[in-house]
Amino acid sequence: MGIHVIKMPDIGEGIAEVELVEWHVQPGDAVVEDQVLADVMTDKATVEIPAPVHGKVISLGGQVGDVMGVGTELIRLEVEGPGNVAAGAPPVTGRAAQAPAPATPTPQPAAAAPPSDVAPEPRPSAAAVKPAPAPTAGSVRRAPGEKPIASPAVRRRAWDLGVELRFVPGSGDAGRIRHEDLDAYVAGRTSARPAGTHAVERHDEEQVPVIGLRRRIAQKMQEAKRRIPHFTYVEEIDVTELEALRARLNDRHGEVRGRLTLLPLLGRAIVQALRGFPQINARFDDDAGVVTRYGAVHLGIATQTDGGLMVPVLRHAEARDLWSAAAEIRRLADAARAGRASRDELTGSTITITSLGALGGIVTTPVINYPEVAIVGVGRIVERPVIRGGHVVARQLMNLSSSFDHRVVDGADGAHFVQAVRTLLECPAMLFVE
């Protein structure tokens, strides 16, 4: 038997370090060639790291949330044959578990918990842990500071249910709490609660590490606000005629070509308006002091996913018709939400659209997708009374909240650009006049 060390591979494109976001194996697990061992994240894309050989996991080289450099030890396997490191080579410090217990284990007291293959995480001092309400019948109290093991989905659901996870017994490996455990705990708590019981005080706290996509989002937003002096310009758009046109196009072509949303029409308006404002379809490298203006319009479409906000890119929006743009926007959004979007699909945008219209709101102040210099925010469409020709009529209105980099885009230019978009949307026949 030998030891095979798998190091963090070079993912390419000059990436020197990645963030470890998920382990798919644990010490003691048998793995086969090409089995996914871990997920790591670059600046946007998540990459799977497969096993190059068969073997048994001896130790892991890091914890979820660790930033690891290319070439550092990721995982250590026991394999048939000589392996690729000397037998006496020490393991890399990290969330390493010990090899399986020796043939003659130390006797355990009858009431003791079974030995774990995973080293326990550091525990805070007892003084740092706030007292919590007494557990209900059927619950289990963990030691102070001991973190219950559960997936993010279980943790989020427990938060929504008002359940403190350290009281929930786990039936999974190493005491992991599963959805079934949470269901059983909630059912027992509900049946044990006397009729007429009022809500009780809560004293539970949960520390949620900012890792993975959420960390990347936080870093990008902080970088954008730190570097870019934003100004936001809001304009009200009458989209009555645009919505009427969209309805007619969907009635006539929807079953064959696919149904149109507002986004491809807005994208077409932005593409046409940018012809008169090349400084807005640009990226600013403020370290080098260079603004790059693009002929191609690579339109970022901000998309909310379970993991956080992602920006897939509609490439060459200037060369697409409405239905091609609509189909590609749907494909990119589905890929982002399913976690299948590639790095190329998430990079290279030259201007971004963000839409919170479905959630309501009147005005937003969107943050620019650095290093771009502009972002267009779409509000909800509402029907309101408007005076036209001396008469009160019902019209469909929508706000555009657009932010610009004031170092590159003057206030007047930003306002004129939004007015150009407004003119095209309010007279949608102009969208088809070249």
Side-chain angles (χ1 to χ4, degrees):
M1 304 295 287
I3 303 298
H4 187 96
V5 170
I6 301 171
K7 296 182 178 181
M8 187 66 69
D10 183 356
I11 298 174
E13 300 191 27
I15 295 171
E17 60 183 21
V18 296
E19 181 181 348
L20 181 60
V21 294
E22 184 176 359
W23 282 112
H24 293 284
V25 296
Q26 292 295 324
D29 290 352
V31 299
V32 297
E33 186 176 354
D34 292 331
Q35 178 179 340
V36 176
L37 302 174
D39 291 344
V40 300
M41 177 171 284
T42 63
D43 58 347
K44 281 188 176 179
T46 300
V47 179
E48 296 178 340
I49 306 298
V53 295
H54 298 341
K56 182 178 181 180
V57 179
I58 298 176
S59 64
L60 308 180
Q63 301 183 48
V64 170
D66 286 352
V67 176
M68 305 182 69
V70 171
T72 59
E73 181 174 322
L74 176 67
I75 195 167
R76 185 170 287 226
L77 303 178
E78 183 181 65
V79 298
E80 296 287 345
N84 65 353
V85 297
V92 171
T93 303
R95 192 182 177 183
Q98 303 302 319
T104 309
T106 303
Q108 299 288 334
S116 170
D117 286 336
V118 182
E121 298 189 14
R123 299 176 180 173
S125 64
V129 180
K130 296 185 69 174
T136 60
S139 65
V140 61
R141 185 186 289 275
R142 292 176 172 83
E146 182 179 356
K147 297 180 179 179
I149 303 174
S151 69
V154 171
R155 292 183 181 277
R156 181 180 299 175
R157 188 159 165 255
W159 175 263
D160 292 339
L161 293 170
V163 172
E164 191 172 355
L165 279 180
R166 65 191 178 105
F167 293 141
V168 181
S171 61
D173 295 340
R176 180 179 295 275
I177 300 170
R178 304 184 303 173
H179 284 286
E180 299 92 315
D181 303 323
L182 191 56
D183 291 338
Y185 177 83
V186 171
R189 185 182 65 172
T190 303
S191 61
R193 180 179 296 169
T197 300
H198 296 289
V200 297
E201 292 183 358
R202 290 184 57 175
H203 300 275
D204 53 297
E205 297 177 359
E206 182 180 9
Q207 293 182 339
V208 181
V210 179
I211 61 174
L213 180 59
R214 178 51 56 190
R215 176 189 283 177
R216 297 296 178 184
I217 292 171
Q219 290 172 341
K220 284 206 74 173
M221 294 300 100
Q222 182 178 5
E223 187 76 351
K225 293 298 286 186
R226 183 180 71 84
R227 287 178 176 263
I228 300 174
H230 288 60
F231 77 89
T232 300
Y233 180 85
V234 182
E235 181 57 280
E236 186 177 70
I237 315 290
D238 186 336
V239 293
T240 307
E241 301 303 328
L242 184 73
E243 284 294 279
L245 172 63
R246 187 170 71 88
R248 286 194 293 270
L249 291 173
N250 283 335
D251 288 342
R252 183 168 183 176
H253 302 291
E255 292 186 4
V256 177
R257 300 186 183 181
R259 300 186 66 80
L260 296 174
T261 64
L262 176 68
L263 285 182
L265 291 159
L266 176 60
R268 189 177 183 93
I270 289 173
V271 166
Q272 293 196 18
L274 284 172
R275 295 170 184 171
F277 301 91
Q279 73 273 34
I280 292 178
N281 188 46
R283 295 162 70 97
F284 182 23
D285 183 346
D286 48 0
D287 290 327
V290 175
V291 176
T292 303
R293 298 179 176 182
Y294 296 88
V297 180
H298 300 315
L299 196 59
I301 308 293
T303 303
Q304 189 64 42
T305 72
D306 290 342
L309 187 68
M310 304 182 77
V311 186
V313 182
L314 176 67
R315 296 195 178 277
H316 290 289
E318 79 283 356
R320 294 181 179 272
D321 63 24
L322 291 178
W323 287 274
S324 169
E328 182 66 357
I329 289 171
R330 282 193 296 270
R331 186 192 70 80
L332 289 167
D334 290 343
R337 293 187 179 109
R340 294 183 284 102
S342 68
R343 177 181 174 83
D344 287 342
E345 291 171 333
L346 296 170
T347 56
S349 55
T350 58
I351 187 171
T352 293
I353 295 176
T354 180
S355 176
L356 292 175
L359 301 178
I362 299 172
V363 171
T364 63
T365 55
V367 178
I368 296 170
N369 186 21
Y370 176 83
E372 297 165 29
V373 301
I375 185 169
V376 178
V378 185
R380 62 175 174 171
I381 297 175
V382 296
E383 189 174 52
R384 292 208 304 267
V386 176
I387 298 176
R388 291 172 65 92
H391 300 282
V392 178
V393 295
R395 304 293 289 180
Q396 291 181 287
L397 304 176
M398 176 187 77
N399 283 349
L400 286 185
S401 302
S402 304
S403 294
F404 302 91
D405 185 338
H406 217 329
R407 300 170 301 176
V408 178
V409 182
D410 293 334
D413 289 339
H416 285 311
F417 167 72
V418 174
Q419 293 300 331
V421 173
R422 175 187 179 183
T423 298
L424 292 165
L425 294 179
E426 292 191 340
C427 184
M430 298 296 294
L431 293 172
F432 305 95
V433 177
E434 296 294 336

